[in-house]
């Protein structure tokens, strides 16, 4: 299985075995793409999320310039919190679909093959509650759902043409969720793990309820990506309270990662209940957590060099992360010295782009892994439903 660990007795063959599996998966994808009339059950993707899958929503609502972002693939900032493509980009490519346009992006958008409602800093729960600190996006999951409802109403009202999909697209679409990280992390420093865990059941319940409402809109296939191991992210290691005894042998924070596992188990159970309530729907839990954890712990086994060190940041050292000078930003110290958080020249060697988000290289490895089907629960043979295209 792609990126799954091998027994310790086969340590000498780990790297070779992983690269061989990746080669086989890539070859299978390329061979399937050679079919003259590639088939795919999914004609569109509707995505709900935060910065991990935002393809321009937040930057359309709040225009900013972040020079290093997009440097690997797009060669310029394009509204993604990464040096290049995200998992949602690779997933669209694999299904033979164009990159998703952000719902809030008024110029140059094409919604014929889906819509991306994700925005940076979004939460599952409404942000106007006392649970959340400032710096959270107003476009919570509930708002994104309302945007989806409005979009469908407009499609049904208008005669679909040009940049709008056909009226029956909603039953032929893949609905994806990559959201919840900000609900988890926004108050960790203030409330601690125990305080945050008190409202996490509301988070997973809201995700389940949203799936049910999308089902009523015609959706039948839902992929829900779980929460990544935030205890391995450079930004959180630097900023969240912990002591050395809380760090594992890979430099990740044990208590925070255990809390993430607890949340992911709640999410998995909530999705199981949702699946049972919607008998003819596919509600799939996607374990990206395991893949990211493997990359953070053993980057060199997968062709990378740095796990818990940010590519774009300031300060160098073990983490290369300074919370006062975030990626692409500058700060004047003592009225004369300007500190700038710049990007490394080799992001393809890093798991972490800016301390909080993943690089294109890491996102590609995660996408390869999940397309293989090993990280779906229950099993979901996406490669049987679609002739997967190359994502190189």
């Amino acid at each position: 299985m792609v990126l799954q660990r091998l027994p310790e007795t086969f340590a000498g063959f780990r790297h070779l075995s992983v690269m061989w599996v990746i080669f086989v998966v890539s070859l299978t994808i390329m061979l399937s793409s050679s079919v003259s009339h590639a088939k795919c059950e999914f004609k569109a993707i509707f995505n709900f999320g935060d910065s991990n899958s935002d393809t321009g929503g937040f930057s359309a609502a709040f225009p900013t310039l972040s020079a290093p972002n997009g440097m690997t693939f797009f060669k310029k900032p394009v509204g993604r919190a990464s040096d290049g493509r995200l998992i949602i980009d690779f997933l669209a490519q694999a299904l033979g679909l164009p990159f998703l346009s952000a719902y809030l992006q008024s110029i140059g958008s094409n919604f014929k093959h889906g819509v991306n409602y994700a925005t940076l800093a979004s939460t599952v729960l409404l942000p106007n509650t006392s649970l959340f600190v400032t710096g959270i996006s107003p476009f919570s999951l509930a708002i994104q759902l309302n945007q989806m409802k409005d979009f469908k109403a407009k499609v049904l009202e208008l005669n679909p043409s040009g940049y709008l999909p056909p009226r029956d697209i909603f039953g032929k679409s893949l609905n994806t969720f990559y959201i919840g990280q900000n609900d988890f992390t926004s108050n960790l420093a203030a409330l601690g793990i125990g305080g945050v865990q008190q409202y996490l059941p509301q988070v997973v319940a809201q995700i389940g309820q949203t799936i049910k409402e999308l089902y009523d809109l015609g959706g039948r296939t839902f992929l829900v990506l779980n929460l990544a191991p935030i205890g391995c992210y450079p930004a959180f290691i630097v900023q969240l309270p912990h002591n050395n005894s809380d760090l594992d042998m890979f430099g990740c924070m044990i208590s925070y990662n255990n809390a993430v596992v607890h949340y992911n188990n709640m999410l998995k159970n909530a999705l199981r209940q949702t699946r049972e309530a919607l008998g003819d729907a596919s509600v799939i839990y996607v374990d990206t957590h395991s893949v990211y954890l493997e990359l953070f712990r053993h980057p060199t086994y997968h062709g990378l060099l740095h796990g818990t060190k940010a590519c774009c940041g300031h300060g160098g050292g073990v983490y290369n992360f300074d919370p006062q000078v975030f990626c692409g930003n500058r700060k004047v110290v003592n009225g004369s010295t300007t500190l700038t958080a710049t990007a490394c020249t080799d992001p393809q060697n890093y798991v972490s782009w800016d301390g909080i988000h993943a690089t294109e290289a890491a996102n590609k490895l995660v996408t390869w892994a999940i397309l293989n089907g090993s990280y779906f629960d229950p099993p979901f043979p996406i490669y049987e439903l679609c002739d997967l295209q190359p994502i190189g």
Side-chain angles (χ1 to χ4, degrees):
M1 304 301 182
V2 176
L3 292 176
Q4 290 185 333
R5 296 302 315 285
L6 299 174
E8 294 299 321
T9 52
F10 296 99
F13 298 96
R14 285 195 194 103
H15 182 69
L16 178 60
S17 298
V18 169
M19 298 311 295
W20 171 251
V21 175
I22 287 178
F23 168 77
V24 171
V25 173
S26 303
L27 180 62
T28 301
I29 291 174
M30 287 187 287
L31 288 176
S32 67
S33 69
S34 66
V35 179
S36 58
H37 300 289
K39 70 175 180 68
C40 189
E41 299 291 328
F42 306 112
K43 307 303 180 184
I45 299 175
F46 293 99
N47 181 65
F48 305 85
D50 53 30
S51 57
N52 292 303
S53 60
D54 182 356
T55 57
F58 191 86
S59 64
F62 308 101
T64 57
L65 293 176
S66 299
N69 289 345
M71 60 181 278
T72 294
F73 184 79
F74 301 99
K75 310 303 179 186
K76 61 180 181 179
V78 286
R80 289 158 172 80
S82 176
D83 63 307
R85 290 166 289 182
L86 310 173
I87 291 177
I88 193 66
D89 294 316
F90 286 119
L91 182 58
Q93 283 186 291
L95 299 183
L97 301 174
F99 292 149
L100 292 185
S101 292
Y103 182 76
L104 298 174
Q105 196 168 15
S106 59
I107 300 175
S109 291
N110 185 339
F111 300 131
K112 197 171 186 65
H113 297 286
V115 181
N116 191 359
Y117 300 101
T119 65
L120 181 149
S122 288
T123 53
V124 173
L125 300 181
L126 291 171
N128 60 349
T129 168
S130 59
L131 290 175
F132 292 105
V133 296
T134 57
I136 293 298
S137 167
F139 303 105
S140 67
L141 183 57
I143 300 299
Q144 295 179 28
L145 175 61
N146 284 339
Q147 291 172 335
M148 174 66 166
K149 291 178 179 178
D150 185 64
F151 178 79
K152 181 176 181 180
K154 293 295 191 297
V155 169
L156 297 181
E157 174 188 349
L158 302 172
N159 183 25
S161 63
Y163 298 127
L164 288 178
R167 291 186 175 94
D168 64 349
I169 196 69
F170 303 98
K172 302 176 181 178
S173 62
L174 188 65
N175 297 276
T176 54
F177 292 77
Y178 198 2
I179 191 168
Q181 179 169 310
N182 295 307
D183 297 85
F184 190 94
T185 61
S186 61
N187 275 310
L188 273 176
L191 302 180
I193 293 173
V196 169
Q197 285 181 327
Q198 292 183 17
Y199 61 80
L200 292 181
Q202 300 175 46
V203 174
V204 298
Q206 184 63 43
I207 292 175
Q209 179 59 35
T210 302
I211 291 174
K212 291 177 181 178
E213 294 195 46
L214 289 172
Y215 176 89
D216 291 338
L217 294 177
R220 289 298 181 270
T221 307
F222 307 89
L223 298 186
V224 184
L225 281 62
N226 66 2
L227 189 63
I230 63 102
C232 296
Y233 281 42
F236 299 125
I237 297 176
V238 170
Q239 296 181 93
L240 293 178
H242 66 280
N243 52 48
N244 288 336
S245 64
D246 194 32
L247 296 177
D248 63 20
M249 63 185 295
F250 308 103
C252 299
M253 297 183 293
I254 299 170
S255 58
Y256 295 99
N257 277 349
N258 286 343
V260 170
V261 171
H262 177 70
Y263 167 82
N264 285 339
N265 287 335
M266 279 196 296
L267 176 63
K268 188 175 184 179
N269 185 58
L271 295 179
R272 178 186 58 77
Q273 296 177 26
T274 305
R275 189 183 310 120
E276 292 173 352
L278 306 175
D280 61 336
S282 295
V283 181
I284 311 301
Y285 171 86
V286 186
D287 184 18
T288 57
H289 173 276
S290 293
V291 190
Y292 278 122
L293 186 62
E294 169 64 13
L295 293 179
F296 276 117
R297 287 177 169 178
H298 306 282
T300 58
Y301 293 166
H302 310 292
L304 308 175
L305 295 178
H306 308 285
T308 56
K309 181 177 182 179
C311 163
C312 184
H314 175 266
V318 177
Y319 306 114
N320 191 37
F321 181 84
D322 183 344
Q324 302 301 316
V325 193
F326 193 66
C327 174
N329 294 337
R330 295 180 178 181
K331 180 182 180 182
V332 177
V333 180
N334 298 326
S336 58
T337 304
T338 300
L339 305 179
T340 305
T342 57
C344 64
T345 59
D346 58 339
Q348 71 275 9
N349 289 322
Y350 288 73
V351 177
S352 175
W353 164 241
D354 55 11
I356 298 176
H357 307 99
T359 59
E360 175 176 292
N363 287 329
K364 182 185 293 186
L365 288 170
V366 173
T367 309
W368 265 337
I370 62 178
L371 286 177
N372 179 49
S374 305
Y375 297 91
F376 291 138
D377 183 73
F380 183 66
I382 193 169
Y383 47 82
E384 293 180 8
L385 300 172
C386 293
D387 294 326
L388 299 179
Q389 308 298 302
I391 60 172

